[in-house]
Amino acid sequence: MLLFRLNSYECIISNIVVLLCFIVNCTYCDAQESSISPILEPVNSSLIIRDSINTKYVSQPSYFASLTSAYTSNNNWQVETNNLITFASNIQYKHNRQLRAWEATTFLNIDLSYIKYIDSIWYKNIDQSDFSIRWVEKQDLIKNSLCIKLNTQLAPSYEHNEDGNKVIVSNIFNPFTLEMGYGLNWDFGERSNLNLAFATLKLYSIPNYSRQMKTENQFIKINNSVVDMEYGFSSQLYIQKSITETISWENTSNIFFNELNRTQIFLDVSNIFRVELLANLEFTFKSYFDYNPAVSTKRQLSQILMLGIFHKVN
């Protein structure tokens, strides 16, 4: 069943113009609000801005960083199934800025883990970087929203060919996925939200260093990659919940599709459970589920048990 597939890029370009106009409007409103001679008041890790009419604009940054050793169980994760000992790092940054008419949230998450073999060979296991900006209009329970999301990797990935030579198979921004969506947002709980983007543009690249993929009909011609664009529906779910004083749960889920078949649905889900044992020492369980038909039509699952040190600022 075809839902959102377009026959030409003219409609896609027109939607890009609409989204850019939306961003410009948000930026213009923010600039007007910021020009009211604010007075800055630091409160803990937040920053309260008061203007001449005593309206508050709150800026709330938060940070989290961890370095851990881990036991990893992979089931068809990046077409591999194994059980390994890994070393992992995680960095999170979130900045929430509340203005008069809009609320802007910036989020950055970097997951990087390597496997250490006995013969001192390092192998990269997980390399995911997610950056997103979300503008939400301040209304009632359900609000208008615009979300821009970028996913890529940081470090290059290598494989050995039939001759035993080391060849590159992927690099930073190859692959990448860039989504821009306009829709509705629903906030629930203190730090949780569901975003439904009924109009979403998706620009993505697939590595093609081996030159085995066809490139005649791609949207943009770039060496060593296949770049294309699609239009469809996307949704983002973020849950951050404290189960107890020392146990917390984080869920991040993303879905995009423009046809209800297994080659046009993209889904990734991550769950993180953290248990704070002592000061700056925690036990973490991470579960990654990824369904990306550009890589494999089989499910990809990675589960990680970690013990390590962390530092956070709320």
Side-chain angles (χ1 to χ4, degrees):
M1 180 175 64
L2 180 63
L3 296 180
F4 300 101
R5 180 61 60 85
L6 302 179
N7 294 325
S8 69
Y9 288 110
E10 295 179 358
C11 294
I12 294 179
I13 295 174
S14 64
N15 279 275
I16 292 177
V17 174
V18 173
L19 291 173
L20 291 176
C21 291
F22 184 92
I23 295 173
V24 171
N25 179 66
C26 295
T27 306
Y28 176 73
C29 293
D30 293 354
Q32 283 188 322
E33 294 169 351
S34 301
S35 63
I36 316 181
S37 301
I39 300 175
L40 305 183
E41 301 179 7
V43 178
N44 296 330
S45 61
S46 302
L47 189 64
I48 295 181
I49 306 175
R50 297 177 183 271
D51 61 18
S52 57
I53 59 175
N54 203 33
T55 303
K56 291 184 179 180
Y57 309 100
V58 183
S59 178
Q60 297 176 318
S62 62
Y63 313 88
F64 179 87
S66 66
L67 181 62
T68 61
S69 60
Y71 172 78
T72 305
S73 175
N74 294 325
N75 183 1
N76 195 41
W77 182 255
Q78 297 179 352
V79 203
E80 292 187 4
T81 300
N82 45 40
N83 298 301
L84 304 162
I85 301 296
T86 65
F87 297 89
S89 62
N90 174 247
I91 297 175
Q92 290 183 2
Y93 169 79
K94 186 176 182 181
H95 186 202
N96 189 308
R97 187 186 182 200
Q98 299 186 21
L99 300 171
R100 181 179 302 164
W102 297 90
E103 177 180 347
T105 301
T106 304
F107 182 74
L108 172 66
N109 181 77
I110 299 175
D111 275 312
L112 186 62
S113 68
Y114 282 85
I115 300 167
K116 181 66 165 62
Y117 289 101
I118 298 176
D119 56 1
S120 299
I121 295 177
W122 291 87
Y123 175 78
K124 187 174 67 172
N125 184 45
I126 294 177
D127 184 0
Q128 292 186 348
S129 298
D130 296 284
F131 176 78
S132 65
I133 303 177
R134 179 169 54 93
W135 292 272
V136 176
E137 187 177 9
K138 286 188 174 181
Q139 293 180 347
D140 296 328
L141 184 63
I142 300 178
K143 314 165 187 178
N144 294 324
S145 67
L146 171 68
C147 183
I148 299 177
K149 185 168 70 74
L150 173 67
N151 173 269
T152 186
Q153 65 182 55
L154 291 181
S157 301
Y158 299 92
E159 289 183 356
H160 289 83
N161 57 20
E162 297 178 353
D163 300 329
N165 297 322
K166 187 177 180 180
V167 294
I168 187 171
V169 293
S170 62
N171 207 338
I172 184 171
F173 295 117
N174 189 21
F176 80 89
T177 301
L178 177 64
E179 293 182 7
M180 297 185 294
Y182 177 77
L184 300 175
N185 184 82
W186 173 44
D187 291 327
F188 59 95
E190 295 182 357
R191 298 183 177 182
S192 304
N193 70 276
L194 173 64
N195 190 72
L196 302 175
F198 302 101
T200 302
L201 296 173
K202 179 180 178 180
L203 180 69
Y204 64 94
S205 74
I206 303 173
N208 190 27
Y209 289 94
S210 61
R211 305 292 199 277
Q212 294 181 355
M213 302 178 66
K214 296 181 179 180
T215 60
E216 290 83 2
N217 298 322
Q218 64 176 327
F219 181 64
I220 302 175
K221 292 187 177 181
I222 300 178
N223 292 332
N224 303 322
S225 66
V226 175
V227 181
D228 206 347
M229 178 180 283
E230 294 186 4
Y231 179 75
F233 169 86
S234 70
S235 178
Q236 300 82 35
L237 173 65
Y238 179 74
I239 300 174
Q240 186 175 6
K241 183 176 179 61
S242 296
I243 301 175
T244 65
E245 292 184 356
T246 58
I247 302 176
S248 63
W249 169 46
E250 296 179 18
N251 174 275
T252 304
S253 303
N254 301 279
I255 187 172
F256 173 90
F257 64 88
N258 54 21
E259 286 187 37
L260 294 180
N261 64 59
R262 65 176 188 171
T263 62
Q264 294 296 326
I265 298 177
F266 300 82
L267 173 66
D268 63 89
V269 180
S270 70
N271 285 286
I272 304 175
F273 292 90
R274 306 183 190 274
V275 181
E276 297 184 14
L277 303 177
L278 299 172
N280 299 107
L281 179 65
E282 72 172 6
F283 173 81
T284 307
F285 170 75
K286 290 188 177 184
S287 175
Y288 299 93
F289 175 86
D290 192 11
Y291 180 79
N292 186 349
V295 178
S296 173
T297 54
K298 296 182 179 180
R299 66 185 181 93
Q300 302 180 63
L301 180 64
S302 180
Q303 297 175 327
I304 309 175
L305 297 173
M306 297 184 291
L307 179 65
I309 58 175
F310 73 96
H311 176 71
K312 66 179 179 180
V313 177
N314 292 322

